[in-house]
Structure formats: structure tokens, C-alpha cells
Amino acid sequence: MNPSLRIAMIIVGVLAISFAVFTFYSRFTAQRKALSYQFNGRVDTIVYDNSGKPTVTIHGAKYDLSVTHWDFDHQVETGDSMVKKMDSMAIKIYKTDGTVIIKQ
């Protein structure tokens, strides 16, 4: 095997492994961050990013809800109430019309 091809393959392999480790670590820390969230209150403000992931403000505290696999699909609006307990991935959304949406 050509030495320059071998070096290129090693570099590509190291980059692939580094990317995999970084992705796993990022996902793990995001999950951990989401588990630490605890809130219960009315949504003061909500901002959706370009990919539709929300950041909500409840009682003046911001919560980045894009860090997990939750798919809110623009269902959360200002005025809705949200409840999440620490160490749980379940979020209850109480809509202003009385419906309840549960995300896990």
C-alpha cells in the first residue's frame, strides 16, 4: 500500500473516531442538562430557532428545549403552562384552551 494513502486513511479514521466521540459526548451532556431542568409555570416568551427547536422563558428563567429529542412542532405558545420535574424527561404542556400535551 502506498505510504501516502496509508497516512490519509489513518487521518480519516482518526477524524471519524473523533467525530463519533464528540457526537456521543454532546448528546450525553445535552441529555444530562435536560434532566436537570425543573419548571412549573406559564410560558412568558418562546423563540423557535431555524430548525423549529424552542427556547422558553418561564418565571424569568430560560430553558433551551432543543437539547433533546423532544419534537414540539411549534405546539408551545406564549401563555401555555409547562411542567417538568427534575430527573424526568416528561414535559406536560397545558394549552390555553384546556388541552394537555405530554412529551417524553
Side-chain angles (χ1 to χ4, degrees), residues 3 7 12 16 26 28 33 70 75 88 102:
I7 291 172
V12 168
S26 297
F28 176 76
K33 181 179 178 182
W70 292 312
Q75 293 174 316
S88 170
I102 299 175

Side-chain angles (χ1 to χ4, degrees), residues 80-98:
D80 294 345
S81 294
M82 295 181 76
V83 177
K84 183 189 174 305
K85 297 181 190 255
M86 190 178 293
D87 295 329
S88 170
M89 290 302 287
I91 291 182
K92 292 181 183 175
I93 305 164
Y94 297 92
K95 304 294 287 176
T96 54
D97 66 2

Side-chain angles (χ1 to χ4, degrees), residues 18-91:
S18 298
F19 179 75
V21 168
F22 175 75
T23 301
F24 176 76
Y25 177 76
S26 297
R27 189 154 179 79
F28 176 76
T29 56
Q31 183 83 4
R32 205 159 156 191
K33 181 179 178 182
L35 279 172
S36 72
Y37 285 164
Q38 179 170 320
F39 46 81
N40 182 356
R42 209 169 279 287
V43 176
D44 300 324
T45 60
I46 184 162
V47 177
Y48 287 96
D49 66 11
N50 292 340
S51 63
K53 304 293 185 179
T55 298
V56 298
T57 304
I58 300 174
H59 299 300
K62 285 188 177 187
Y63 300 96
D64 179 14
L65 302 181
S66 67
V67 297
T68 63
H69 62 278
W70 292 312
D71 182 19
F72 290 100
D73 194 31
H74 291 272
Q75 293 174 316
V76 181
E77 300 170 336
T78 301
D80 294 345
S81 294
M82 295 181 76
V83 177
K84 183 189 174 305
K85 297 181 190 255
M86 190 178 293
D87 295 329
S88 170
M89 290 302 287
I91 291 182

